[in-house]
Amino acid sequence: MKTAISFVALTAALSFSATVPPIKQLPFGEVDGKPISIYLLKNAAGMEVTITNYGGAVTSIKVPDRNKALGNVVLGFDSVAPYQTTTSYFGALIGRYGNRIGKAEFQLEGKVYHIPANENGNALHGGTTGFNKRIWDAKDVSTAKAPALEMHYLSPDGEMGFPGNLDVTVRYTLDAKNGLEIDYSATTDKATVLNLTNHTYFNLAGAGNDTVLKHRLTIRADHYTPVDGALLPTGVVQAVEGTPFDFRHGNVIGSRINEDNEQLKLGKGYDHNFVLNEPHTLKQWAVRVEERSTGRVMEVFTDQPAVQFYTGNFLDGTAHGVGGDFKFRSAICLETQHYPDSPNHPNFPSTELRPGEKYHTVTIYRFSTEE
Ligand code: BGC
């Protein structure tokens, strides 16, 4: 009898710990007369993520440090207004084309397509009004095990010059092992190009801390794509060996960032596309970041062929958000993606999507601590 009672108690305790609190929806402001919300996802381990349906942006991620103290590790704001005016893409979903398209144009099936240029005559992150400035439909698709929020956006044929009605769904899931999974899918009714990503800025010491230069970074990439003066890829795929771009065995980010290196000067630091070694699977991490003072670790898993590693070189302290001023190099972005400007480089993996095909890709940012 005694055993039976403790068995019942144990199953009750287990099912309780596996149940996640429902997603909370809170007001975040208004855009064009439409109410914008923020959604709070919590897992049983205590990790918390907030996401807004404006730009589908991740606005905060709270994870424990080695002493179990929760801290926010991403740059964000506490209302929608700053997201409308910023040009830094804080936390946002990026589309239709992550990073740059040279001369803001590309050819597909013999036709030339023009995107409204928003940087030196080139298109950055989808043109003048990218997915980061769109209102997404948000739906709670949580299961008993994991809170999940699904974002949907229908980008009409010709929006920002891109062909095809593009139906995009992005699902954010917070798993039980402190992983934030981003699952992107899309279909089109005309041949098009597509490169979706997320532009969250991380500082594992806590948002608002001065720099990320002491973070230690490992990237499983033997190659990267060097850039020209406009930060467009030159088309060359270069070995990292013997350069400040060699993060294969783990390096402190600041250890070589100020070296007299042409590529670092062009990027004002790291702002480069790293070509991830194959296989591109979710079975092993592609990037690992460690922050010694808090013991926080972030591992990035992705099925994408590349990652843009950006050290916040264009942040200048003028944006003031949760945690303080967002200063020069006070965060890193790890934008899992296809190579920049692929539509104009036939030697890069293709970013074309055709009717009848399904675009599907997954990236997970997983947090843990070490002593
Ligand atoms: C780019 C940077 C750009 C930044 C905008 C990054 O993905 O690589 O060059 O300045 O986005 O915030």
Side-chain angles (χ1 to χ4, degrees), residues 87-90 99-100 119 124-125 199 201 231 271-272 308-310 314-315 333 335 337:
T87 52
S88 297
Y89 303 87
F90 291 105
N99 213 278
R100 295 173 175 82
E119 191 197 61
L124 173 65
H125 296 327
H199 208 291
Y201 287 81
L231 295 180
D271 191 355
H272 293 80
Q308 182 81 10
F309 168 47
Y310 170 54
F314 297 107
L315 298 178
C333 297
E335 302 150 64
Q337 58 173 19

Side-chain angles (χ1 to χ4, degrees), residues 7 12 123 127 157 201 240 249 253 301 306 308 310-311 330 351 360 364:
F7 176 73
D157 184 17
Y201 287 81
V240 296
H249 309 292
I253 291 173
F301 299 75
Q308 182 81 10
Y310 170 54
T311 40
S330 64
T351 51
H360 182 235
I364 304 168

Side-chain angles (χ1 to χ4, degrees), residues 106-138:
F106 63 94
Q107 267 195 44
L108 186 61
E109 297 185 337
K111 260 186 91 175
V112 181
Y113 293 95
H114 300 275
I115 306 157
N118 55 341
E119 191 197 61
N120 308 317
N122 303 311
L124 173 65
H125 296 327
T128 44
T129 312
F131 287 1
N132 58 303
K133 303 276 187 206
R134 306 285 177 188
I135 300 174
W136 294 65
D137 294 323

Side-chain angles (χ1 to χ4, degrees), residues 145-162:
K145 282 197 184 134
L149 187 71
E150 194 167 276
M151 298 282 181
H152 177 251
Y153 179 65
L154 184 66
S155 173
D157 184 17
E159 184 179 69
M160 292 288 112
F162 291 96

Side-chain angles (χ1 to χ4, degrees), residues 140-337:
D140 184 343
V141 291
S142 303
T143 63
K145 282 197 184 134
L149 187 71
E150 194 167 276
M151 298 282 181
H152 177 251
Y153 179 65
L154 184 66
S155 173
D157 184 17
E159 184 179 69
M160 292 288 112
F162 291 96
N165 288 296
L166 188 78
D167 197 321
V168 189
T169 300
V170 179
R171 194 175 62 232
Y172 287 105
T173 305
L174 173 54
D175 71 25
K177 292 182 289 171
N178 286 0
L180 178 64
E181 178 185 293
I182 314 181
D183 179 301
Y184 307 81
S185 53
T187 54
T188 181
D189 59 4
K190 275 186 195 163
T192 192
V193 296
L194 181 62
N195 189 26
L196 302 180
T197 189
N198 174 279
H199 208 291
T200 294
Y201 287 81
F202 299 95
N203 185 326
L204 297 187
N209 271 286
D210 274 2
T211 78
V212 277
L213 297 183
K214 288 190 189 145
H215 287 45
R216 188 182 166 83
L217 177 77
T218 312
I219 309 182
R220 288 197 166 123
D222 293 341
H223 297 89
Y224 78 109
T225 53
V227 292
D228 65 14
L231 295 180
L232 283 163
T234 59
V236 173
V237 177
Q238 182 91 44
V240 296
E241 176 123 43
T243 75
F245 294 83
D246 190 348
F247 283 95
R248 293 173 297 174
H249 309 292
N251 260 344
V252 172
I253 291 173
S255 62
R256 301 187 68 176
I257 200 168
N258 293 320
E259 266 183 25
D260 186 15
N261 172 285
E262 197 209 351
Q263 282 298 313
L264 286 173
K265 285 189 178 154
L266 290 170
K268 298 192 169 40
Y270 294 100
D271 191 355
H272 293 80
N273 172 65
F274 284 69
V275 176
L276 295 170
N277 297 344
E278 293 194 35
H280 304 133
T281 74
L282 300 169
K283 291 206 176 102
Q284 57 171 22
W285 51 262
V287 185
R288 182 180 159 92
V289 192
E290 299 153 55
E291 203 287 308
R292 292 277 152 91
S293 73
T294 58
R296 289 197 184 102
V297 175
M298 179 175 79
E299 289 166 348
V300 186
F301 299 75
T302 188
D303 54 18
Q304 288 291 279
V307 63
Q308 182 81 10
F309 168 47
Y310 170 54
T311 40
N313 314 307
F314 297 107
L315 298 178
D316 58 8
T318 48
H320 181 82
V322 177
D325 296 332
F326 299 152
K327 299 191 191 116
F328 182 55
R329 295 182 180 163
S330 64
I332 53 171
C333 297
L334 291 162
E335 302 150 64
T336 53
Q337 58 173 19

